[in-house]
């Protein structure tokens, strides 16, 4: 889930940013009339902007709710896979998540993006950011506890730093970030109990969870390189991306699964909640947070997810927790925090954020 904070970073690039410019006095009226013909004579270029609508809930409340939703997602996956195949859980998750975003788009009157090129790139992004990692996490939790899956999810920033250095020449690693990378992977080895030969852990399930975490930064780096300058809104792009992910799973699922003979209520409700809350609503809340408090503050939610996933798994599912699991998780989070730190630099470029 932590990929979605980075997904927000990419999506905030989507709206076209017009650099500040000083308009000649003779063009002020024409510039205003291009926005609204009926107000061309009365609008003033220097008029103060209308005050933004204040959200009904304080951002801290929405931040806490987002952390809880994403943290409980791993528990919901575990409950869903008790009755349904992993691909079916993922399909349901994407289907209900897409329905929530479609409703939001209808209310806000936001259309889908246009252009074959955009849809082609979004199809690739949907695979790496939705279809693949969601499926891998669902399959991994057949053999590993939800607590471990949640902790593996926290390694995404570590993979992201390695890949961003390769993909972006301007994103050079600092000593602090390299140290964070090393600390983070020491944390991973601690979680897995490397000194005791990874005893008690399923290698296949753990590998799938780590691969799912690796898939997220691959997806957002791809988006950043291909659609970072798109003029479509974040809601439009994300809605289309989830729609494409749903189509991908709708094609794959019948090939590898059979129709369930029954539909147990609790696992079904878990899948519905996973999609509607953990995917659809969570994305809407997260994008609002990024817009209100910025990506730096919004990304802090990433560090609460494994904590909540661990508490939920232990208290509600009765999963066993060895001492090295929470200790390793804290080390992973410390390393991930260091990899996200950046050196402050002075710039004379007025358009640089």
């Amino acid at each position: 889930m932590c990929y979605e904070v980075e997904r927000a970073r990419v999506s905030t690039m989507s709206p076209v940013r017009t650099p500040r410019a000083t308009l000649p006095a003779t063009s002020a009226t024409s510039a205003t009339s291009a926005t609204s013909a009926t107000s061309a004579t009365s609008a003033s270029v220097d008029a103060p902007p209308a005050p933004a609508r204040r959200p009904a809930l304080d951002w801290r409340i929405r931040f806490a709710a987002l952390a809880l939703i994403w943290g409980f997602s791993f528990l919901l996956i575990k409950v869903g896979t008790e009755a349904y195949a992993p691909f079916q859980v993922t399909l349901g998750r994407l289907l209900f998540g897409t329905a929530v975003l479609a409703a939001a788009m209808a209310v806000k009157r936001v259309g889908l993006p246009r252009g074959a090129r955009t849809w082609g790139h979004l199809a690739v992004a949907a695979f790496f950011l939705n279809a693949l990692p969601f499926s891998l996490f669902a399959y991994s939790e057949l053999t590993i506890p939800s607590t471990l899956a949640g902790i593996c999810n926290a390694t995404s920033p570590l993979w992201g730093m390695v890949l961003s250095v390769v993909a972006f020449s301007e994103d050079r690693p600092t000593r602090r970030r390299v140290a964070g990378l090393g600390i983070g992977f020491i944390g991973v080895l601690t979680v897995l109990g490397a000194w005791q030969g990874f005893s008690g852990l399923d290698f296949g399930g753990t590998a799938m969870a780590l691969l799912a975490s690796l898939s997220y930064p691959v997806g957002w780096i791809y988006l950043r390189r291909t659609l970072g300058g798109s003029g479509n809104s974040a809601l439009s792009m994300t809605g289309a991306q989830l729609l494409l992910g749903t189509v991908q799973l709708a094609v794959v699922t019948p090939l590898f699964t059979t129709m369930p003979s029954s539909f147990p209520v609790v696992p079904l409700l878990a899948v519905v909640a996973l999609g509607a809350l953990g995917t659809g609503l969570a994305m809407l809340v997260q994008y609002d947070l990024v817009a209100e408090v910025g990506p730096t503050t919004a990304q802090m939610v990433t560090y609460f997810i494994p904590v909540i996933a661990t508490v939920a798994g232990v208290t509600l599912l009765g999963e066993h927790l060895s001492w090295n699991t929470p200790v390793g998780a804290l080390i992973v989070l410390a390393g991930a925090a260091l990899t996200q730190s950046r050196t402050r630099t002075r710039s004379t470029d007025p358009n640089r954020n």
Side-chain angles (χ1 to χ4, degrees):
M1 266 45 88
C2 72
Y3 90 93
E4 290 164 355
V5 177
E6 290 295 346
R7 177 70 171 81
R9 286 179 179 272
V10 176
S11 295
T12 52
M13 303 178 195
S14 297
V16 177
R17 295 178 179 178
T18 305
R20 296 178 180 177
T22 303
L23 294 174
T26 57
S27 63
T29 304
S30 60
T32 307
S33 62
T35 304
S36 175
T38 58
S39 59
T41 57
S42 59
S44 173
V45 175
D46 297 326
R53 183 176 60 87
R54 187 173 183 178
L57 291 176
D58 184 78
W59 73 267
R60 297 170 187 83
I61 298 177
R62 287 176 283 140
F63 182 97
L66 184 60
L68 286 172
I69 291 172
W70 276 343
F72 270 85
S73 292
F74 297 95
L75 179 148
L76 295 174
I77 293 173
K78 174 67 77 173
V79 175
T81 53
E82 290 178 354
Y84 305 106
F87 276 141
Q88 293 170 344
V89 171
T90 304
L91 175 59
R93 176 181 188 175
L94 287 169
L95 182 63
F96 289 110
T98 302
V100 171
L101 289 185
M105 292 173 65
V107 171
K108 297 183 179 182
R109 297 183 178 180
V110 174
L112 291 170
R114 298 180 179 180
R117 174 183 174 276
T118 298
W119 280 89
H121 288 314
L122 285 175
V124 177
F127 175 76
F128 284 110
L129 291 175
N130 303 117
L132 179 61
F134 289 0
S135 299
L136 286 174
F137 271 125
Y139 270 101
S140 73
E141 292 199 37
L142 292 177
T143 56
I144 66 173
S146 63
T147 54
L148 179 56
I151 293 171
C152 288
N153 179 75
T155 64
S156 280
L158 305 179
W159 303 117
M161 181 204 146
V162 175
L163 294 176
S164 65
V165 170
V166 176
F168 306 109
S169 58
E170 72 275 9
D171 196 2
R172 298 179 180 178
T174 62
R175 292 181 179 178
R176 178 180 296 181
R177 298 180 71 194
V178 172
L181 181 64
I183 292 172
F185 282 111
I186 290 174
V188 172
L189 294 176
T190 303
V191 170
L192 300 179
W195 63 91
Q196 54 188 4
F198 308 107
S199 61
L201 293 178
D202 181 76
F203 176 79
T206 304
M208 283 190 285
L210 290 174
L211 284 174
S213 302
L214 171 62
S215 181
Y216 288 142
V218 171
W220 70 254
I221 286 175
Y222 179 84
L223 271 179
R224 181 178 169 185
R225 292 181 68 93
T226 59
L227 296 176
S230 171
N232 297 291
S233 70
L235 179 57
S236 174
M237 299 282 279
T238 307
Q241 178 186 306
L242 282 188
L243 176 61
L244 290 169
T246 304
V247 172
Q248 291 170 4
L249 261 296
V251 172
V252 171
T253 300
L255 300 178
F256 295 93
T257 64
T258 57
M259 186 64 121
S261 57
S262 62
F263 294 88
V265 175
V266 174
L268 180 60
L269 291 177
V271 173
V272 173
L274 180 63
L277 300 180
T279 303
L281 179 62
M283 284 188 172
L284 296 176
V285 173
Q286 175 251 335
Y287 283 125
D288 286 342
L289 282 175
V290 170
E292 183 174 350
V293 301
T296 301
T297 299
Q299 77 175 356
M300 294 299 293
V301 73
T302 302
Y303 307 120
F304 292 90
I305 295 173
V307 177
I308 295 172
T310 299
V311 172
V314 172
T315 58
L316 298 179
L317 297 179
E319 295 178 344
H320 176 68
L321 190 66
S322 301
W323 69 267
N324 57 295
T325 302
V327 171
L330 291 176
I331 298 174
V332 169
L333 293 178
L338 287 175
T339 62
Q340 298 304 298
S341 63
R342 300 179 183 274
T343 304
R344 295 181 179 179
T345 57
R346 295 182 179 180
S347 174
T348 57
D349 185 358
N351 295 323
R352 180 168 179 163
N353 292 333

